[in-house]
Each structure stands twice: as C-alpha cells, then as structure tokens.
Amino acid sequence: MSWFRKDPLQIISFLSYGTSNHFYHRGRALEDETIDLDQKSLYNLILNTWKRFETDEIKNTKLKVTLPNNKVFYVQTDKDGYYKIEENIDGLELLINSEGWLNFEVSYSEPSIKRTIQNENKFPAELLIPKLDSDFAVISDIDDTILHTGVVSILKWRVLYNTFLKHAQNRIPLEGAADFYHLLHKGPSGNKANPIFYVSHSPWNLYRYLEFFLRTNNFPKGPILLRSFKTIFKKKSSTCKPDKQLEIENILKTYPDLPVILVGDSGEHDPDIYLKLVNTYPNRIKAVYLRSVDDKRKTKRVKDLLSNYKDTPVLLVNSSKEAIIHAKSHGLIK
C-alpha cells in the first residue's frame, strides 16, 4: 500500500431549490475519502467522523453543469472546494418530475486534471422547484425537532456524543415525526407534493450524514440547508441575523406567494427566530409547531413568549401526535 496514493475525486451536490426561471445550486468538490455510513464498528465510526471534517477539497477548479435539455453552464469552486451557481433560465418547470425535482449532472471540466474521477465524472444532482398548486411549504429544523441531539444537555455533551460517536443508522427519529411530515407533504387533499425544507445550524461537513439519516428513516425528500463550518465559531454582532433566519427568509422571498409552516423545538433559538418571522411575515406563516424539550426553564420561557400570539397558531407540542391532531383540525392535513 502506498502512503502517497492520491484519492479519486468526487463531487457532492447538495439538494437545492429554485423556481421556473431561477436555477440555484450548490455543492462541493472533494477527494473521495471513502466514507461508508453503513459501517458499524467503533473504529470506522471514529475514522468516518474524522474524514467528514478533515476534507481534501478541490479548490479553484472549473465544473460543468448539464441540464436534461443539454444546456450547459460552468462554475468554479472556491478555496474550500464549494461551488454555487445561480442562473436565470426560462422553462425549468418543463424539466421537473411529478414531485417537482429537476435532475441534472455536474462534472469536472478541467482538461489538466490527471486524477481518477469517480462515477465516470458524472455526478447526479437535484433541484426542487415547488409545484404551482402546492398548498404551502414546510420549513423544519432538524436538531431536537426530528432528530434527538441533546442540545439542552449540560455542556452540550449529548450533542457531541450523538453527532460524532453514534452511527447515522442508529440515530432514532423522534416518534411520529416522519409520519407528520408525510402528511404535511401530501396536504389536506392527500395528493399534493408540498415542498419540505430542512434547515439546521449544523456545518455542511455533516450533509451526507444528515441526508443519510433522513433517507433511511423515510422522511420526505427536501433541500437540506446547513452553514459553513467557519461561521459556527465566528463572533457575530447583535444586529446580525442568525444563518437559519437568513436561509428561511430567502425561501420566503424566493416563493412570495407560498404560505409556510414552521417546525422547530423550544430548546435554543427556534422560538425567537420563528416568532420574529411571524411578526415580519404575518400573512405568510400558517402555523408554527415547536416541539417541547425536556427543560422546564426553557419551556416556561417559550410559553411566556407564545402567550401574545393569537392570530397565527403557534403551538408548543410534546409529540408529533399533538401536532397531527391540531393540523387536521385546522385543515392542513388529511
């Protein structure tokens, strides 16, 4: 075995979202560190965790994006291997499937690359364009909303353990969460394809881990919107909006005619962010569901916050069953 053997190249495309005339996609070009999320030994778990954060990015490299109609665009990765492409293109709605997904391809486009490239240099990517007849969009947190992380534990030790020392396939979703999301996805008629967006404070390094968890536990497919690892430790001014709030506001602005249901938890920042959004977009938010975490002080604080909200349903729920009962009574699900 050669210690100097170079790993083959890959492209990780993030599930993104756009409109019938706005193509927006992002992803990352990396060396393939052979992270196998199905491996179950402790050694492989620790090794995979290390690989997720010790990445060998392919920086300042030209990539080609090819649409199903053979229209081609080019984009260049940045110094961390990330790329983002935004283009105004008419007629994208003609290329989507029945669930609203546009399937396309990303590949390396540098003739000077003398490296092995995985997948014959053809990396599938998907972009969600919500159907025009959607009832609403669902924007959901991940941590302690559908996946128990222990964000309210002392010194966040449960967050560290669950995130870095627990296999994705062994992470158990909060009871009934997947069923609730499928009901919201199908809407009150039971036959729609309402878009689901997953927004988290987690870094992009955990994208494949979270995508694997959502897919394995049968959650509806939707864009997974994370943040740069560097911004987690960056001190922000008191006037700077949280990344999650900015991402949600971008979704609201992208689809100005689409009502929204927000789902989160009472543990950290969700109540404050969501209630600010209710105040800013009072006619856009159909309902807010906050899963109650096991912390009496935080629960009391959230209950006090919610006491002022009468027009928009803002509920603190102990289970998905409670949320389902409320959503049915308000005609949001079948």
Side-chain angles (χ1 to χ4, degrees), residues 142 146 198 210-219 224:
I142 295 177
I146 59 178
Y198 301 98
L210 294 173
E211 190 273 336
F212 181 87
F213 167 83
L214 292 169
R215 176 166 41 85
T216 302
N217 289 285
N218 194 36
F219 281 86
I224 303 171

Side-chain angles (χ1 to χ4, degrees), residues 31-59:
E31 289 187 2
D32 187 353
E33 302 285 356
T34 61
I35 294 177
D36 186 352
L37 291 168
D38 286 313
Q39 293 178 333
K40 297 183 179 181
S41 71
L42 179 61
Y43 170 77
N44 284 318
L45 173 61
I46 295 173
L47 181 61
N48 286 341
T49 298
W50 167 255
K51 287 178 178 179
R52 280 199 294 270
F53 289 90
E54 196 284 310
T55 54
D56 293 314
E57 58 274 355
I58 311 303
K59 54 188 173 183

Side-chain angles (χ1 to χ4, degrees), residues 27-89:
R28 198 177 190 192
L30 299 167
E31 289 187 2
D32 187 353
E33 302 285 356
T34 61
I35 294 177
D36 186 352
L37 291 168
D38 286 313
Q39 293 178 333
K40 297 183 179 181
S41 71
L42 179 61
Y43 170 77
N44 284 318
L45 173 61
I46 295 173
L47 181 61
N48 286 341
T49 298
W50 167 255
K51 287 178 178 179
R52 280 199 294 270
F53 289 90
E54 196 284 310
T55 54
D56 293 314
E57 58 274 355
I58 311 303
K59 54 188 173 183
N60 305 320
T61 299
K62 188 177 180 182
L63 304 179
K64 181 171 74 171
V65 177
T66 307
L67 301 187
N69 59 4
N70 293 320
K71 196 173 184 66
V72 171
F73 299 91
Y74 294 92
V75 64
Q76 185 158 310
T77 62
D78 65 16
K79 61 183 179 62
D80 297 310
Y82 290 103
Y83 67 89
K84 181 173 70 173
I85 180 170
E86 283 192 79
E87 294 284 346
N88 293 321
I89 309 170

Side-chain angles (χ1 to χ4, degrees), residues 179-216:
D179 293 336
F180 181 40
Y181 284 62
H182 275 289
L183 289 170
L184 290 170
H185 179 58
K186 295 175 182 177
S189 66
N191 59 11
K192 291 294 183 70
N194 297 323
I196 311 283
F197 300 86
Y198 301 98
V199 183
S200 172
H201 283 301
S202 297
W204 285 109
N205 304 67
L206 292 177
Y207 178 85
R208 282 186 290 178
Y209 182 91
L210 294 173
E211 190 273 336
F212 181 87
F213 167 83
L214 292 169
R215 176 166 41 85
T216 302

Side-chain angles (χ1 to χ4, degrees), residues 156-175:
K156 302 290 188 291
W157 71 269
R158 284 190 181 275
V159 176
L160 299 174
Y161 171 76
N162 287 326
T163 302
F164 302 122
L165 295 175
K166 207 166 185 180
H167 292 284
Q169 67 266 43
N170 291 340
R171 301 290 295 276
I172 300 174
L174 293 172
E175 186 177 0

Side-chain angles (χ1 to χ4, degrees), residues 223-251:
I224 303 171
L225 309 168
L226 309 179
R227 61 173 172 164
S228 169
F229 188 70
K230 293 179 180 179
T231 66
I232 293 176
F233 302 103
K234 186 178 180 181
K235 187 176 181 180
K236 295 187 176 182
S237 68
S238 58
T239 59
C240 189
K241 294 180 181 178
D243 291 335
K244 184 185 290 187
Q245 182 175 342
L246 291 172
E247 195 68 68
I248 294 174
E249 287 184 345
N250 190 57
I251 296 170

